[in-house]
Amino acid sequence: SINIILTFVTLLFIELIFGIFFITRPNPSISLIFKPFTSYEKINFLSRIEHFDYETNKYKPGLYKTENFEYQINRDGFRGPEINQNDLKTKCIGIAYGGSTTLGLESIYEKTYPKLLENLLNKSGKNCRILNAGVSGKSLKYIFNRIINEVDKFNPEFITIYNNRNSAVYDATTEKIKSDIINDSLNLRLFKIRFFLENNIMTYKFMKKIFLKLNEREYGTPHPLDPRRKINIDYFENGYLNLLEQIYNFVETKKIKLVIIKQIFYVDPIIQKRISLNNISKNIELLEKYHKFDLEKNVIKEISELQKIENYSMITNIILNQQLDRIKKKYSNIIIVDKINDFYKYKSSQMTYDGLHLKEKGNIKIAQGVYEAL
């Protein structure tokens, strides 16, 4: 009994050390031992403060403020008004998953593409409610976990996913993602356990970071935002596609339609149009040398830090959009919404605030694309 107690106290002390380490970082993570005192992460952005609740794995309900307006997170963790439980029984439900572009931080609720889509469907005689599940900075891996734990409660007829930029930034240093998680109950259970440990046990989180960093030595291609890290090229070749395939396999068993939207990201449309003509293998080769390659002149040379980030953004955006064409060929039931060329008919300033986050015209374009596809 004494040995067990000493072991437990030792592990608790170690977890306390790593818990303090992660809670004091710029974007803190909350250890399980601190959650009785603070169960949410307070994230500081330039124009707002967000509260992410680890108990629900969603935003904490309440009123949020930006520099220009306020927005509401309802008690179920979605942006928008409260959900009438009767609506879940009588209405066509759709869930829109994505990052800050889906959440629509630069738009009032009525001008976000999930709400605009809801309006289009209702005008055509449907009786629908689209739940806005956008969360800033969250990738496809987060969306996958949330879908697994959420769709049974809301029983949607369809879900939409608009997410590749966050995946390229945040999932690119994760371990290889297997393709059989959904089809194997043991692997699905292990995935859920790993996800829980990574978000609750900071000793595990720290050891995993060390493990991944040691494995990165074989990759060689630096991460654009943190040169100390290396990106896993396999994620762009197989990992992202594997995640999409597993999401499809999961929702297909529940008779939920999967709609995936190609993401627009204005950097240099002329270069982006040219790169998009390459096949995926050719673009993977470009990705491996993005940090030392002039895409405009098509030569290897020393480039600025800004050019590195722009190169990475352009190449990865195109590769992940191209992966959507691959999965469509394999599963004809998946709906792919491709409005990229329609966006390029307009200047970035007409459709977006910063090349990525949508203005009203951009939100309308996405909503119309999903509506027409459905």
Side-chain angles (χ1 to χ4, degrees):
S1 298
I2 292 173
N3 287 334
I4 291 173
I5 292 171
L6 289 174
T7 301
F8 176 78
V9 170
T10 301
L11 293 175
L12 186 64
F13 179 72
I14 294 171
E15 175 63 16
L16 181 64
I17 292 173
F18 288 121
I20 293 172
F21 171 77
F22 280 105
I23 204 172
T24 55
R25 293 176 67 80
N27 287 324
S29 296
I30 311 299
S31 170
L32 188 65
I33 61 176
F34 290 135
K35 288 189 176 179
F37 310 102
T38 173
S39 64
Y40 65 90
E41 177 181 339
K42 185 177 179 180
I43 308 172
N44 291 291
F45 289 92
L46 290 176
S47 62
R48 67 195 186 279
I49 297 176
E50 294 182 353
H51 298 280
F52 189 77
D53 191 338
Y54 278 114
E55 298 298 324
T56 61
N57 208 26
K58 304 178 187 181
Y59 281 131
K60 192 176 179 67
L63 191 64
Y64 290 69
K65 295 182 179 181
T66 69
E67 292 178 346
N68 300 317
F69 59 88
E70 298 177 341
Y71 61 99
Q72 179 74 31
I73 300 297
N74 65 32
R75 61 174 173 264
D76 292 293
F78 299 98
R79 182 179 179 185
E82 297 297 339
I83 300 170
N84 186 327
Q85 293 304 306
N86 190 54
D87 289 348
L88 299 180
K89 300 176 184 178
T90 61
K91 289 190 174 184
C92 149
I93 300 295
I95 305 179
Y97 291 100
S100 55
T101 308
T102 297
L103 183 65
L105 289 176
E106 292 77 14
S107 306
I108 60 173
Y109 173 69
E110 288 73 17
K111 302 300 183 183
T112 60
Y113 77 79
K115 179 58 178 173
L116 292 169
L117 172 61
E118 178 184 296
N119 293 342
L120 287 171
L121 289 168
N122 290 338
K123 284 180 181 177
S124 69
K126 304 292 183 182
N127 184 22
C128 293
R129 172 74 190 273
I130 309 301
L131 309 180
N132 187 330
V135 179
S136 297
K138 296 299 183 181
S139 63
L140 191 63
K141 188 176 178 181
Y142 163 82
I143 291 172
F144 176 40
N145 182 76
R146 185 162 167 179
I147 288 172
I148 290 172
N149 293 292
E150 190 164 63
V151 294
D152 284 341
K153 177 179 178 181
F154 298 101
N155 193 28
E157 290 190 21
F158 65 90
I159 64 171
T160 68
I161 297 176
Y162 186 64
N163 186 290
N164 80 24
R165 190 265 178 184
N166 288 342
S167 298
V169 173
Y170 302 112
D171 281 352
T173 58
T174 58
E175 72 273 24
K176 287 187 177 180
I177 299 168
K178 296 181 179 180
S179 60
D180 60 349
I181 293 176
I182 290 300
N183 296 325
D184 187 312
S185 58
L186 175 60
N187 278 331
L188 178 57
R189 195 172 295 112
L190 290 174
F191 175 84
K192 290 182 176 181
I193 291 171
R194 288 198 302 269
F195 195 91
F196 173 83
L197 290 173
E198 192 171 344
N199 287 284
N200 291 275
I201 308 300
M202 296 305 106
T203 305
Y204 176 88
K205 187 181 182 78
F206 184 83
M207 297 304 294
K208 186 173 183 179
K209 282 183 175 291
I210 296 297
F211 174 77
L212 291 175
K213 196 160 180 71
L214 290 173
N215 281 346
E216 284 177 9
R217 289 181 296 182
E218 63 186 79
Y219 300 155
T221 305
H223 193 285
L225 303 181
D226 186 357
R228 297 169 298 177
R229 302 297 302 273
K230 304 292 190 297
I231 64 169
N232 182 1
I233 295 296
D234 182 75
Y235 178 76
F236 297 96
E237 292 179 311
N238 302 299
Y240 184 80
L241 189 65
N242 286 344
L243 270 175
L244 289 176
E245 186 171 2
Q246 290 168 83
I247 291 171
Y248 168 73
N249 288 333
F250 180 73
V251 300
E252 180 72 6
T253 62
K254 297 179 180 294
K255 296 182 171 31
I256 299 171
K257 182 67 72 174
L258 176 60
V259 182
I260 313 175
I261 309 161
K262 289 190 177 183
Q263 187 162 21
I264 184 68
F265 195 172
Y266 289 92
V267 181
D268 187 326
I270 294 175
I271 293 177
Q272 288 172 276
K273 288 177 185 177
R274 173 163 54 83
I275 296 174
S276 65
L277 299 176
N278 297 336
N279 59 32
I280 292 178
S281 297
K282 177 66 176 177
N283 285 331
I284 290 291
E285 292 177 10
L286 288 178
L287 178 59
E288 290 175 335
K289 56 187 178 184
Y290 83 90
H291 57 295
K292 54 182 178 181
F293 195 79
D294 188 322
L295 285 173
E296 183 178 4
K297 298 179 180 178
N298 214 31
V299 295
I300 292 177
K301 58 174 288 190
E302 198 71 32
I303 59 176
S304 68
E305 293 302 314
L306 176 60
Q307 282 180 292
K308 291 177 185 178
I309 293 174
E310 290 180 343
N311 282 0
Y312 187 82
S313 299
M314 288 190 286
I315 297 169
T316 55
N317 175 254
I318 289 168
I319 290 173
L320 297 185
N321 279 336
Q322 289 177 320
Q323 293 289 16
L324 302 188
D325 296 322
R326 283 183 65 191
I327 199 168
K328 175 64 176 178
K329 288 180 180 178
K330 190 170 182 178
Y331 302 105
S332 59
N333 286 340
I334 294 177
I335 296 176
I336 304 298
V337 177
D338 183 358
K339 288 293 180 180
I340 301 298
N341 289 332
D342 287 352
F343 268 90
Y344 282 149
K345 294 175 183 177
Y346 304 90
K347 293 181 179 179
S348 173
S349 59
Q350 292 176 281
M351 307 297 281
T352 70
Y353 290 94
D354 53 7
L356 181 66
H357 296 94
L358 303 173
K359 288 184 175 179
E360 181 178 353
K361 197 169 184 177
N363 277 304
I364 291 172
K365 183 67 68 176
I366 295 295
Q368 287 177 333
V370 177
Y371 171 73
E372 292 163 6
L374 286 172

